[in-house]
Structure formats: structure tokens, C-alpha cells
Amino acid sequence: MFPVREAAADGWKDLRAAVSNHHLTTTLGWQEVATRYRRSRVGALWLTINMGVLIGVLSLVFGTLFQVPTDEFIPYLATGLILWMFFAACIGEGCSGFIAASETILQVRMPLSTHVGLILYRNLIILGHNLVIIPLVFLAFLRPVPLDALWAIPGFALVLLNLGWMMLILAVICARYRDMTQIVQNAMQVLFYLTPIIWSVALLPDRVGVAWLQINPFYHLINVVRAPLLGHEVTLINWAVVIGLAVVGWALAIPFFGKYRKRVPYWL
Amino acid sequence: MSEPARMLLEGVGVDFPVFNAASLSLKNRVLSAMTGGRIDRQHDGAIVVRGLADINLEIQAGERVGLVGHNGSGKTTLLRVLSGIYFPTQGTVDIRGDCVSLINISLGIDPEATGRENIRLRGAMMGMTPAAVNARLDEIIEFSGLGDFIEMPFRTYSSGMQLRLAFAVSTSIRPQILVMDEWLSTGDEDFRERAEKRMNEVVHATEILVLASHTRELIESTCNRVIWLEHGHIRMDGPVDEVVAAYFG
């Protein structure tokens, strides 16, 4: 029988080592962002500028298409899109996490989960840049920030927790099956349209859509952060799914990672 | 101080899975049988290359082990097993003591970053904490002899300067176990002497040295035990003069 307990202990050991060596994660994660600043005055803010332009154009196109009031639609789109870009970057880069670090993995012994952790850290910094857009948008429409917006903080913590296990599992699978990277990229592209980011749930025809939406984990992940910020309601289902997903996800990811961790260097 | 370093390998074997084996032709098969490890077909049909087989080894503190063998004999694989990078597919490995491998001393260096930043990056790569890097920062800069260039981007350095910086950081640690693939040297004439001295300091400060090399003089002057690998097996293991005489002929 597959020794789950042993594998879990092994995976847990690696994760703990990565946490206690957090200086490695932050040093190497910061490096990528720092590179963007080296020869450019604006540096990583270029990503924010691109994001701002994208939000502007999409607001114009879809705001007109859907004929929704702009003061409602633009804050909705901006928060959703910024969050989605963070998800997509984490998951996309998570897939190639071990592959990209293969040179390091084959020469230096460090916790394998560090290579995933630094991707999460790096994208957090980039998200921090993009976050600047949100208060600007709120200010532009003189939209009050409800006190309930603070719920976005535990919501975001849960999002990070969920991204962590997804990235860890994907990094292992993609190191072994290189085709997976393409499949995941494809899936994320499709999910972008299946998740209410440029469209809203209110636009869905009542009977059909809403039920289908519940099986999309990214709908819940986006909602626990976006809805509090916009003063919308976070349903109990949203919280339940996000918490449940984190618990089940890590319960699977730790033994899975523990079992295959030792094989990863051979696959590179 | 921590307990003395020790490495114990029992019945260690390493099999590499080959995933793009469709292109594996007879010619390749013959060639690798002559030069490298054995290619095997596992019972489930997957193709594996046997990198190491049945390695029994005990290395105690104070031993300076030279690793010789032809290309593809499993030297690098064994170095990786000893560094804790490859977990063997068969047998057990027990390594006590912190181990640093100096295989590519430029690993982790970012050409766009300044010399000072690269010291931190390279230091982190070798497992040094930020505090440990800071404590050695001045000494590293002084040894590299870069002066004010330390604040310039790494890419603006001449290749000699680049090597000097990488060398200065990489040799600033004193691990219990040091694993090296060939000796670290620098081309720079006036730097060579100092580098040589520093390398000897590092080697003498470590409890165990494992050095893979093709150079007879190097093995003879540095090591007190030599292991000869062939086709992933230990062909000979013993005192320097015996094994070197047999291997280099």
C-alpha cells in the first residue's frame, strides 16, 4: 500500500524547511521584480500601466455592449481583472516552477517548495503594484468603501492558501508531463471567460447559469475578495467552498508532493 | 560544535527514467553501453538508464576523496547523490553534516545586478543567511579586488573580474562537507596565487572533500583516497598511489 503518512511527513518537512528558509524565497523572488527596475524608470509599474489600459479599454467595450452603468461596472471589472491576472500568473508560472529552476535544482540542495514559494512571492509584489489601480478607480467614481471591505483580507488569505497547493501540485505534474503546461494554460484561458470577471452574475439567465457557476472554484475564489470590496454579499457557499477547497487541497497536495518530491530532480 | 561529518551509502543505485525514449536507436544504445551507464527496460516497459549501481561507501571526517572515471562513468551522478540532490532509487544514503557543492560557481548570478547584490544572491544560493553574507561582505569584496566596481552591474565586468567575484563568494563559506567537480581556478595571473591559497584554506577547513577530476597531479596533491568509477560501479577504492597508478596507467 502507498504509505500516505510517510509521504505526508516528507512533504511537510520540505514545506517547513522552505518556510524557515524564507530569506531564500524573498531574495530570489525579489530578484525577478528588481530586474524589471534595472534599466527602466517605471520598472514593474509598466505592468500596472498595461493593466490600467486594459481595464480602460475593456470597460469601454463591454460597458457599452452590456449597457451597464459605468460607475458600477468599472470598479467591478478592475478588481476582478487584477485578481484574475494574479491567479493566472501564479498558476501559469507555477506550472513551470521546477522546470525553470532546473539548473538550480540540479546543483543546489534547497527545499523544493522554495521554488514554488518564490513565484507566489514575486507575483504578490506585482499584485501590490497593480493594487494601486483600485483606490484610483474608487476615487474616480467617488465610491465609498464599506467597512465590510475588511472581509477581503481573510478572503485573500484563503486565496493564497488555495493558490499554494494548486501551484505545488501543478509544478510536480508539469515537471513530469511537459504537455500539462499547455493544457493548464488553455484551461486558464477558458476559465477566464467562464468566471464572472468581464460579465456579472446578474447578466446570467436565472435558471441555467448560476447553478453551473457554483462548480467553478475560481468564481468563489474571486468572490471572497472582490465582493467585500464592492460592498456585495459574500455567500455562505463562497466561504464554504474556499475553506473546504483549501483543506482538501492541502490534504492532497502534501502527501502528493512528499511522494514525488524525490523524483522531481530526475525528471528535469 | 556539531557532530563530525560522515557519509554512508549502502547499496545505492540510481536509475534515470527516459521519457523521450522513442528516438532511442540501436546506435545510441551501443554508444552509451560503451561510454555511459546501462540502459534497461523495466518490467513495466519504461526505459531507464542505470547511472549508478550497488555503491557501498563510507566516508569519514578527515578524508579527501578523489573521484576518477571516464566521462559517463557516473561521477556527476555520484556527486549529486552525495550533495543530497538525487535521492537514490535503490539503497540508502545517510549524510551527516552540512554539505555545499561548488559545481558551477556562477549559478545564481544576475548579470544586471551589481557586484554587491550578486554577493547576496550567490550567498543565498549556497545556503548562507543574509546575516552570514553581511558578516563576510567586506572580506569578499576585498578578496575579489573589485574596489569601486562592486557597485557596478555585473555585466560591465571583464570576464576575469566576473570570475573573481564568483570565486570570492563561493569560497567564503566553510562547510563541513565540500563537493567539487574539478578544481576551481581563475585565469588571472596575479590572482591565481591568492586563489590557490584560498582554495587550500577552504579544503583544509572542511571535514570531508569529494573532488571529481581528470587531473592526476591534482588528485595526488589533494586527496588521501581515490574512488574509480566505471559504468556506474566502483571499480577500485583505496589509497591514492594504488588507484591512480591503476587508473592513469
Side-chain angles (χ1 to χ4, degrees):
Chain A
M1 209 198 87
F2 163 55
V4 181
R5 189 174 294 205
E6 206 174 295
D10 224 29
W12 182 241
K13 207 174 87 187
D14 188 281
L15 284 164
R16 273 197 20 212
V19 172
S20 60
N21 283 308
H22 55 90
H23 63 90
L24 202 58
T25 316
T26 49
T27 311
L28 300 180
W30 172 250
Q31 195 47 31
E32 171 85 358
V33 184
T35 311
R36 293 182 195 273
Y37 275 104
R38 300 247 191 251
R39 293 233 217 156
S40 149
R41 269 168 211 278
V42 193
L45 277 175
W46 270 119
L47 300 172
T48 309
I49 295 170
N50 295 347
M51 178 72 79
V53 171
L54 186 63
I55 289 170
V57 172
L58 286 179
S59 303
L60 213 68
V61 173
F62 289 99
T64 321
L65 265 180
F66 297 148
Q67 296 191 325
V68 280
T70 46
D71 61 336
E72 187 54 45
F73 183 65
I74 297 180
Y76 175 85
L77 179 77
T79 43
L81 201 61
I82 288 171
L83 279 170
W84 180 265
M85 290 300 184
F86 173 67
F87 292 176
C90 283
I91 290 185
E93 290 171 30
C95 280
S96 49
F98 294 148
I99 302 167
S102 60
E103 208 192 341
T104 313
I105 292 175
L106 288 178
Q107 287 193 34
V108 184
R109 184 177 52 169
M110 59 169 88
L112 217 48
S113 39
T114 296
H115 300 290
V116 174
L118 68 89
I119 294 173
L120 197 60
Y121 180 75
R122 177 209 300 162
N123 280 297
L124 264 176
I125 298 173
I126 293 172
L127 176 69
H129 283 76
N130 288 339
L131 233 45
V132 180
I133 296 175
I134 292 177
L136 289 179
V137 168
F138 274 62
L139 212 63
F141 292 101
L142 296 173
R143 197 188 163 95
V145 180
L147 193 65
D148 280 351
L150 288 175
W151 280 105
I153 297 170
F156 187 66
L158 283 167
V159 163
L160 285 185
L161 219 51
N162 274 303
L163 283 175
W165 71 259
M166 291 180 192
M167 289 163 72
L168 199 58
I169 289 185
L170 284 173
V172 174
I173 297 178
C174 293
R176 170 67 181 82
Y177 301 102
R178 299 294 165 101
D179 298 329
M180 267 302 281
T181 315
Q182 306 300 323
I183 296 172
V184 172
Q185 256 162 24
N186 205 311
M188 288 306 284
Q189 215 154 41
V190 172
L191 277 167
F192 173 70
Y193 293 102
L194 292 181
T195 310
I197 297 160
I198 47 177
W199 49 273
S200 68
V201 184
L203 288 170
L204 278 183
D206 257 347
R207 298 166 308 275
V208 236
V210 183
W212 279 107
L213 205 55
Q214 304 293 345
I215 60 166
N216 176 359
F218 287 97
Y219 161 63
H220 302 281
L221 285 172
I222 284 245
N223 232 23
V224 292
V225 184
R226 182 178 59 189
L229 289 175
L230 298 174
H232 296 173
E233 187 202 2
V234 184
T235 63
L236 213 56
I237 298 177
N238 289 153
W239 287 115
V241 168
V242 170
I243 293 171
L245 206 61
V247 172
V248 174
W250 277 107
L252 288 174
I254 293 174
F256 176 79
F257 174 61
K259 182 164 163 40
Y260 292 107
R261 180 178 73 100
K262 296 179 174 175
R263 297 299 298 155
V264 169
Y266 290 102
W267 295 337
L268 295 172
Chain B
M1 209 21 221
S2 49
E3 55 181 326
R6 195 200 64 172
M7 296 169 133
L8 184 65
L9 275 68
E10 280 177 333
V12 166
V14 169
D15 288 335
F16 293 95
V18 181
F19 297 119
N20 46 357
S23 60
L24 208 63
S25 67
L26 190 65
K27 188 192 89 189
N28 290 341
R29 202 173 255 235
V30 171
L31 272 181
S32 56
M34 281 182 344
T35 57
R38 300 249 150 75
I39 297 165
D40 270 333
R41 220 167 259 273
Q42 276 179 339
H43 38 83
D44 58 350
I47 290 179
V48 293
V49 173
R50 177 138 302 161
L52 290 175
D54 200 30
I55 302 283
N56 293 296
L57 203 59
E58 184 174 6
I59 305 177
Q60 304 277 8
E63 289 196 278
R64 322 232 162 274
V65 181
L67 215 52
V68 295
H70 296 290
N71 289 326
S73 60
K75 290 196 303 287
T76 307
T77 310
L78 184 57
L79 287 183
R80 284 182 178 158
V81 170
L82 294 175
S83 321
I85 291 162
Y86 282 151
F87 298 89
T89 35
Q90 294 104 36
T92 55
V93 175
D94 180 28
I95 292 165
R96 293 199 198 133
D98 62 314
C99 173
V100 164
S101 57
L102 292 182
I103 293 173
N104 172 7
I105 59 167
S106 300
L107 183 74
I109 279 182
D110 177 356
E112 290 290 335
T114 66
R116 191 183 288 275
E117 288 170 302
N118 271 311
I119 294 177
R120 293 184 200 287
L121 279 173
R122 177 71 196 138
M125 270 288 179
M126 292 191 303
M128 289 157 95
T129 60
V133 178
N134 278 336
R136 294 182 178 117
L137 200 58
D138 291 333
E139 186 268 330
I140 294 170
I141 295 173
E142 205 210 301
F143 185 81
S144 71
L146 287 171
D148 291 339
F149 267 97
I150 205 73
E151 311 297 345
M152 301 289 285
F154 188 78
R155 67 183 156 77
T156 62
Y157 296 2
S158 72
S159 52
M161 288 158 78
Q162 294 188 344
L163 205 58
R164 254 151 57 192
L165 185 71
F167 181 87
V169 197
S170 302
T171 52
S172 69
I173 43 165
R174 300 287 180 268
Q176 281 179 281
I177 302 170
L178 184 67
V179 173
M180 283 199 299
D181 200 352
E182 288 295 341
W183 195 250
L184 299 185
S185 60
T186 49
D188 217 323
E189 205 43 64
D190 58 317
F191 188 69
R192 186 177 286 167
E193 215 171 289
R194 288 200 296 143
E196 204 60 30
K197 194 168 153 255
R198 184 156 157 129
M199 264 321 291
N200 283 319
E201 274 170 35
V202 176
V203 165
H204 285 291
T206 58
E207 293 174 35
I208 292 179
L209 170 76
V210 182
L211 168 68
S213 179
H214 288 292
T215 318
R216 183 176 187 158
E217 292 74 33
L218 179 62
I219 299 270
E220 282 175 337
S221 63
T222 322
C223 303
N224 54 23
R225 174 181 173 185
V226 178
I227 294 170
W228 175 6
L229 281 177
E230 201 173 72
H231 294 311
H233 291 271
I234 294 182
R235 166 99 182 252
M236 218 175 154
D237 178 0
V240 180
D241 41 351
E242 263 176 46
V243 184
V244 163
Y247 176 71
F248 289 99

